[in-house]
Amino acid sequence: MPASAEQKKDGDLRTVLTRAHTEASKLLEAADGPPLDIVAWLSAHIAAFNHAVYPTVRRRIPDGSELIAADRVIVNKLARSLRIMERRHSGDILAAGLSSERLTARLTDLVRTHQAVQGRILDQLEKCLDADDVSDLADAYESALAHAPSRPHPHFARGGLMFRLDALRDRLLDTMDGRHVPIPRLTRRRIIPGRWGNYFLGGTAEEHRNAG
């Protein structure tokens, strides 16, 4: 769910931007943590961070491009391991023989490294941004996370249209596969059709009367 009003008031950007790492780390430590939930949390975070946070890092931090380059080195390694974990636990017979324990250990190390690299980015952001900027960035990241792809993609470093296309593709696949996605999604207001809406949607006569 979105960060609380209290978190936003205190400008706790770090809590918002590190939630995915925290959730993934808990699942990695748990003996029965759902592997595909780990994939979803980290995949969505990588995409959302790239989509919502990278632009601010480039604009506001003097050495922002260098920080992003360092982050992408880890992201590429993390994405490859996430893809392997997804295959291992999605019924891919070519990945069935891979050691789940070794893969979990590698991902645990990569998440720890990724946290450290992004921690340096957060340190600089907290120095450069005022309270309004912090709140805006937290909102932008949360919105991106709610709409982000839920599976690893080889072009994580790209945003814009690819972000939206990958997210749409993943939602369709998640629905078809019946896959649980732990990422908080923004709820949309339910639109109730009127008389003509019910007519074109094939509603019953009773629904038509109620709509009127």
Side-chain angles (χ1 to χ4, degrees), residues 92-175:
D92 187 335
I93 59 174
L94 297 178
L98 298 174
S99 169
S100 181
E101 290 76 13
R102 290 179 60 184
L103 183 55
T104 297
R106 174 165 174 74
L107 273 171
T108 299
D109 289 341
L110 286 171
V111 169
R112 188 177 299 114
T113 302
H114 196 219
Q115 283 180 295
V117 171
Q118 292 200 336
R120 291 195 287 274
I121 293 176
L122 291 170
D123 289 342
Q124 295 302 313
L125 286 173
E126 289 171 342
K127 292 178 182 178
C128 298
L129 304 182
D130 61 24
D132 288 339
D133 292 332
V134 163
S135 181
D136 289 345
L137 184 56
D139 286 342
Y141 170 83
E142 285 189 307
S143 178
L145 186 70
H147 295 91
S150 57
R151 302 177 184 221
H153 295 275
H155 45 260
F156 267 130
R158 292 157 62 182
L161 180 60
M162 289 309 304
F163 176 90
R164 292 187 287 274
L165 290 177
D166 286 342
L168 176 60
R169 168 187 175 274
D170 288 356
R171 290 206 180 197
L172 291 174
L173 290 174
D174 290 339
T175 299

Side-chain angles (χ1 to χ4, degrees), residues 35-50 75-76 78-92 107 144-158 162-183 185:
L36 294 180
D37 281 10
I38 297 169
V39 172
W41 270 114
L42 293 174
S43 297
H45 169 69
I46 290 170
F49 202 93
N50 168 61
V75 162
N76 288 334
L78 187 54
R80 287 195 294 270
S81 292
L82 290 172
R83 176 57 181 150
I84 293 171
M85 175 172 272
E86 182 185 40
R87 291 175 55 207
R88 169 69 176 77
H89 295 279
S90 295
D92 187 335
L107 273 171
L145 186 70
H147 295 91
S150 57
R151 302 177 184 221
H153 295 275
H155 45 260
F156 267 130
R158 292 157 62 182
M162 289 309 304
F163 176 90
R164 292 187 287 274
L165 290 177
D166 286 342
L168 176 60
R169 168 187 175 274
D170 288 356
R171 290 206 180 197
L172 291 174
L173 290 174
D174 290 339
T175 299
M176 290 188 294
D177 293 345
R179 182 183 293 191
H180 172 254
V181 178
I183 312 304
R185 299 302 193 187

Side-chain angles (χ1 to χ4, degrees), residues 1-2 146-147 171 184-190:
M1 66 183 61
H147 295 91
R171 290 206 180 197
R185 299 302 193 187
L186 296 179
T187 57
R188 296 182 180 178
R189 182 175 61 86
R190 180 171 176 262

